[in-house]
Structures are given as structure tokens and as C-alpha cells.
Amino acid sequence: MLANFRKRSATVGLAVLLMSPGICSATDTPTPATMRQQQIEKSGAAVMPFDINRTLHVFHPLADGGMQRVVLKNPTDVAQLPPIRNHLRSEALRFAKGDYGDPAAIHGAAMPGLAELHLGYRRIAVMYADVPGGGSIRYKTSDPAMIVALHRWFAAQSSDHGAHAMHDMPGMKM
């Protein structure tokens, strides 16, 4: 009985030691998802002229395509507004021509949906609009394959951007 007590005490002591701050913690080894999101943040900083930590990317799939928005987390952070709008306006023009180079640079060329969007760009109407606190890109198509590609692309972006993104925005007006 004393041997079992010593064994359990040693196990508990080791667990306490390993969980002590500065010794070892669960955050010392990032998960693959966290590592991916850190890489996306780093790659994104080279492509997006605004501070990703001060914005929220919103991906809203729709029956005929989808709506992508980048909005300010803090509505008074107006210095971020021109870079957000200029970037999205420029991206919408590129996407309308089949140029998805920036998303590929951030997320990788094998990103779900990206190849299909590049090849089928003529079947998607891409429109930019200013929205309160940011900008939006609306993707509209009647092609079921392009709708699936857009939805896959949105889901991959939401996953990659982690805390900087959401897949839907309650109350979003189309």
C-alpha cells in the first residue's frame, strides 16, 4: 500500500512539475492547425496591406455563390479602412480576370476550390462594394460546379484564418 502511495505521489509530483509555468506547458507545442494559421498570418502580411489582427474576414456562402467581407474589429479604427477597401477592390478586379495569385500566395496553390475558380472564372460575376466598416466581394454564378468551388474556397479560408475569420455573419445583409 505504501508503495502504491509513493508511486501515485511521484506521478502527481511529476505532473505538477511538468505543468508548472516555465517548465513545460500545453502551448509549447502548437497544433498543426495553429501552426497553419500562424503561417497564413505571416503569408497574409506580405499580400494584405491592412493589419489582419485588427480585422475580421467573413465568408458567407449563398445559393448562387457567396459574399466575402473584411471589416474592422473596432469601428473607430478608421486608418485600416482605406487599405481594406483598396485591397478588396483590386482583388475583385483580379478575380474577375481569373487571377487568384494572391490567395495562392497566402494559402497555397492546392487550396480547395482555387484551381476550379481560376479555370471557371468566366462563369462567375465578381463585384466589389464598400460596406460599413470595410469592403465586400460578391461572387455570383448559376454554375453548380462554381458554387461548390466557391463554398469549398470559403471554408478553407475560414479554417486557415482561424480567429481572424468567421464562416458566416448573423444578420448579414446581402
Side-chain angles (χ1 to χ4, degrees), residues 96-131:
K97 295 175 183 174
D99 179 354
Y100 286 84
D102 283 349
I106 296 171
H107 302 273
M111 180 183 199
L114 196 58
E116 295 91 333
L117 295 174
H118 171 72
L119 293 173
Y121 75 93
R122 287 185 180 95
R123 295 174 288 186
I124 305 169
V126 182
M127 300 145 284
Y128 169 81
D130 287 350
V131 297

Side-chain angles (χ1 to χ4, degrees), residues 128-143:
Y128 169 81
D130 287 350
V131 297
S136 72
I137 301 176
R138 174 71 161 94
Y139 305 85
K140 191 171 182 177
T141 182
S142 59
D143 185 320

Side-chain angles (χ1 to χ4, degrees), residues 2-172:
L2 185 57
N4 279 343
F5 176 75
R6 285 186 182 151
K7 191 182 223 181
R8 275 187 264 146
S9 295
T11 302
V12 170
L14 180 59
V16 169
L17 178 64
L18 289 175
M19 295 306 289
S20 297
I23 303 292
C24 182
S25 94
T27 59
D28 285 349
T29 307
T31 66
T34 302
M35 290 170 48
R36 172 81 176 153
Q37 289 166 1
Q38 289 170 346
Q39 179 59 43
I40 294 302
E41 188 172 341
K42 183 178 176 184
S43 301
V47 173
M48 296 181 283
F50 51 85
D51 186 341
I52 194 169
N53 292 305
R54 293 160 59 185
T55 60
L56 182 66
H57 294 241
V58 183
F59 302 96
H60 188 80
L62 298 167
D64 64 353
M67 174 83 71
Q68 171 185 0
R69 289 184 179 203
V70 177
V71 294
L72 301 169
K73 286 183 180 177
N74 178 348
T76 64
D77 191 7
V78 293
Q80 292 295 303
L81 212 47
I84 290 169
R85 289 177 172 167
N86 291 337
H87 175 71
L88 290 181
R89 190 177 291 112
S90 175
E91 290 294 81
L93 291 172
R94 287 185 182 121
F95 297 162
K97 295 175 183 174
D99 179 354
Y100 286 84
D102 283 349
I106 296 171
H107 302 273
M111 180 183 199
L114 196 58
E116 295 91 333
L117 295 174
H118 171 72
L119 293 173
Y121 75 93
R122 287 185 180 95
R123 295 174 288 186
I124 305 169
V126 182
M127 300 145 284
Y128 169 81
D130 287 350
V131 297
S136 72
I137 301 176
R138 174 71 161 94
Y139 305 85
K140 191 171 182 177
T141 182
S142 59
D143 185 320
M146 293 296 96
I147 293 168
V148 169
L150 281 164
H151 292 184
R152 290 179 60 227
W153 187 53
F154 278 13
Q157 288 192 76
S158 292
S159 175
D160 276 356
H161 285 290
H164 301 114
M166 62 186 298
H167 198 63
D168 199 1
M169 180 180 265
M172 179 184 271

